[in-house]
Amino acid sequence: MSKTLQQIIILIVVLTNSNLSSIAQPIVDETPAVDYIRTIQFTGDAEFAGIPIIKLGEALQITFDDINGDEADYYYRITHYNFDWTPSVLYKNEYMDGFDEIRIVNYENSFNTLQMYSHYTLSIPNEDTRGLKVSGNYMLEIYNDDDETVFSRKFIIYEPLTSVKVYTKRSRDFKYIDTRQSIQFEINSPSQILRNPKKTVKTLVIQNNDIKQAITNLIPQFTIANKLVYKYDQESSFWGGNEYLSFDSKDIRAAYGSIAKIELKDIYHNYLHRNITRANRKYTYNPDINGNFVIRNLNASDNNNVEADYVSMHFLLESYEPVGNGELHIYGNFNNYALDDSTKLQYDKESGFYYATRLFKQGFYNYKYVLLREDGTLDPGFISGNFDETENEYIVIPYYRAPGARYDRAIGKGIGNSSTITN
């Protein structure tokens, strides 16, 4: 082969690879659950979880209810993704030990409930999917016999290769000092050499396990020995929000706490006491579980999974004038912080109240009201207000892709809480 021909071939290969790498990969988002799939709980070793963040080698579990109650067949599929949720180039056997696309065989029907449902449980590892072999971002997809996705959920697997210290600070901008919380952190990597960290290290900062509002565009400001330091202010700040409201329907036959009255129709209906706008009031501490929920039935013998009933919960928000452009929604981890028709509030001019009715499985729930603006942005403090004193939990996940590597590794996990906020 002549030297000229070799040069032509090399040039073609370079141009081809360049074109392939320039093709934009689609960013994948979660598929919201269809209407008949309810009470999805996706957990690792944490008591509560919005997006499960699991150490490599540990187990995870997902449970959900089908309120059609017809014992339908469901299957699961697991896919690995890059840091930015574009598809990873890894083959399935590179990140998974075993197989997926398997039917979920562990399910049981509700017992002694007015609302019939089938309760499904998937645990990983199992005899088919023996484990996941690499860290990073994953999506778990649940689909039916027609290969239609009924919902999908993100989760993250990390390797404990670094230590991450997280600090919550008040904003240095006087305009936001009483309303925002800034997250500063340090990534210490004593054994893993992080080469060229401004290009190879990425970070994910999450407030209250709500990945939809996460911050992902931070790069290390400077390095001290093996430590990467992030001391941003506005770039790493979240609205402080307010403590979540709550209700407890563990006994759907009794009105107490935040429940004003009950009615029995086809199922039980619980009516909450009216809520008020808190944005124009002073902050008041009220313990919460940061938007999460717990399933429980006071009268269940030993299995809340199938003995907890469903209740139609009625919400009432005092607002003597409509908000104008935008929509008010109920917001919380009860449906993975999604906004849909079931969470949208309607306005009644005669009473001056917003109202909504939604089906919930018996338990203790956190919720708040948020404004979805016309441009699609979320204003979480429009009704509840924003306060720097609010107790919030923050999680920081660092990712690393070494030069020449083919996927982004999640290499640590740090947790901070605004209860220790400082100036």
Side-chain angles (χ1 to χ4, degrees):
M1 183 182 297
S2 68
K3 185 176 181 180
T4 303
L5 182 59
Q6 286 179 330
Q7 290 174 335
I8 293 173
I9 292 174
I10 291 172
L11 179 61
I12 292 173
V13 170
V14 169
L15 291 175
T16 301
N17 288 339
S18 175
N19 289 334
L20 286 174
S21 63
S22 66
I23 297 175
Q25 292 292 319
I27 295 175
V28 177
D29 206 351
E30 294 167 314
T31 302
V34 296
D35 185 59
Y36 55 85
I37 299 295
R38 298 290 177 128
T39 320
I40 301 168
Q41 294 182 284
F42 197 178
T43 58
D45 61 350
E47 185 179 5
F48 312 113
I51 176 171
I53 302 170
I54 304 155
K55 187 185 297 185
L56 185 64
E58 290 184 348
L60 60 93
Q61 182 183 82
I62 190 164
T63 64
F64 61 93
D65 295 340
D66 179 347
I67 59 175
N68 289 333
D70 56 1
E71 301 184 11
D73 289 337
Y74 292 107
Y75 307 80
Y76 67 95
R77 181 181 296 122
I78 301 173
T79 311
H80 188 264
Y81 287 89
N82 298 319
F83 168 78
D84 59 359
W85 294 101
T86 56
S88 164
V89 299
L90 296 183
Y91 294 104
K92 189 153 290 191
N93 63 358
E94 292 183 276
Y95 63 82
M96 182 186 302
D97 181 11
F99 306 93
D100 60 352
E101 302 192 1
I102 303 295
R103 186 169 71 90
I104 301 173
V105 297
N106 187 2
Y107 67 90
E108 50 187 333
N109 292 320
S110 58
F111 174 73
N112 200 27
T113 60
L114 295 176
Q115 171 67 58
M116 293 183 60
Y117 59 88
S118 300
H119 179 78
Y120 294 79
T121 301
L122 170 64
S123 298
I124 295 173
N126 56 51
E127 61 181 10
D128 297 302
T129 308
R130 295 184 291 274
L132 298 171
K133 300 192 289 188
V134 303
S135 64
N137 291 345
Y138 285 86
M139 185 84 79
L140 175 64
E141 178 187 358
I142 306 297
Y143 60 97
N144 60 20
D145 275 331
D146 297 321
D147 201 24
E148 299 169 334
T149 302
V150 294
F151 72 90
S152 65
R153 285 290 178 89
K154 294 176 178 178
F155 66 101
I156 299 169
I157 293 181
Y158 73 95
E159 306 168 71
L161 301 177
T162 63
S163 62
V164 185
K165 293 183 179 180
V166 182
Y167 310 93
T168 310
K169 302 286 186 178
R170 292 182 178 85
S171 176
R172 294 195 293 265
D173 187 333
F174 281 103
K175 181 180 177 181
Y176 300 111
I177 192 169
D178 295 326
T179 57
R180 295 183 74 92
Q181 297 172 346
S182 296
I183 309 307
Q184 299 181 4
F185 54 95
E186 300 172 354
I187 302 170
N188 193 354
S189 177
S191 57
Q192 182 81 19
I193 299 176
L194 305 179
R195 295 182 175 86
N196 195 8
K198 289 193 174 184
K199 291 187 176 180
T200 60
V201 176
K202 298 180 175 67
T203 55
L204 178 70
V205 186
I206 308 173
Q207 182 191 58
N208 295 333
N209 272 349
D210 182 3
I211 195 172
K212 293 180 173 63
Q213 307 302 320
I215 294 173
T216 61
N217 58 350
L218 303 177
I219 61 174
Q221 292 174 296
F222 53 91
T223 302
I224 302 175
N226 295 321
K227 185 186 299 182
L228 307 180
V229 180
Y230 300 72
K231 288 195 173 183
Y232 289 96
D233 182 43
Q234 291 306 307
E235 298 87 347
S236 63
S237 69
F238 293 82
W239 290 110
N242 204 340
E243 309 299 348
Y244 280 82
L245 303 168
S246 64
F247 65 83
D248 194 346
S249 57
K250 63 183 177 183
D251 186 353
I252 54 177
R253 299 174 182 85
Y256 61 92
S258 57
I259 297 173
K261 68 174 184 176
I262 60 171
E263 288 182 355
L264 176 58
K265 299 178 182 178
D266 52 339
I267 61 173
Y268 278 95
H269 288 245
N270 285 184
Y271 296 80
L272 296 174
H273 288 288
R274 68 181 176 90
N275 297 129
I276 60 174
T277 299
R278 297 182 288 164
N280 55 359
R281 297 171 180 263
K282 290 184 178 181
Y283 169 79
T284 302
Y285 175 66
N286 181 41
D288 65 9
I289 53 175
N290 291 327
N292 282 293
F293 67 98
V294 181
I295 300 303
R296 57 182 182 179
N297 175 5
L298 186 65
N299 301 310
S301 58
D302 60 357
N303 191 350
N304 286 316
N305 290 332
V306 294
E307 293 184 45
D309 210 336
Y310 275 81
V311 57
S312 187
M313 191 64 64
H314 295 253
F315 297 83
L316 201 60
L317 174 65
E318 182 180 295
S319 179
Y320 294 113
E321 292 184 2
V323 297
N325 297 332
E327 302 171 351
L328 288 180
H329 286 263
I330 314 160
Y331 193 68
N333 191 31
F334 55 82
N335 70 340
N336 196 32
Y337 300 100
L339 304 182
D340 54 35
D341 289 341
S342 75
T343 63
K344 184 178 177 181
L345 284 87
Q346 306 294 330
Y347 185 67
D348 180 16
K349 292 182 180 179
E350 293 185 7
S351 65
F353 287 95
Y354 275 92
Y355 65 93
T357 304
R358 191 183 188 279
L359 198 65
F360 288 85
K361 197 172 186 177
Q362 277 184 273
F364 178 81
Y365 289 82
N366 273 185
Y367 71 95
K368 65 180 176 181
Y369 299 103
V370 298
L371 175 65
L372 179 64
R373 298 193 181 277
E374 278 190 317
D375 62 2
T377 59
L378 192 70
D379 187 343
F382 185 81
I383 295 296
S384 59
N386 290 295
F387 303 93
D388 64 296
E389 303 103 314
T390 304
E391 182 271 321
N392 294 303
E393 183 176 86
Y394 294 95
I395 296 177
V396 177
I397 307 293
Y399 292 74
Y400 177 62
R401 179 179 290 206
R406 298 169 56 233
Y407 71 98
D408 297 313
R409 302 168 67 183
I411 56 173
K413 174 185 176 182
I415 300 176
N417 195 288
S418 61
S419 60
T420 59
I421 193 169
T422 59
N423 291 324

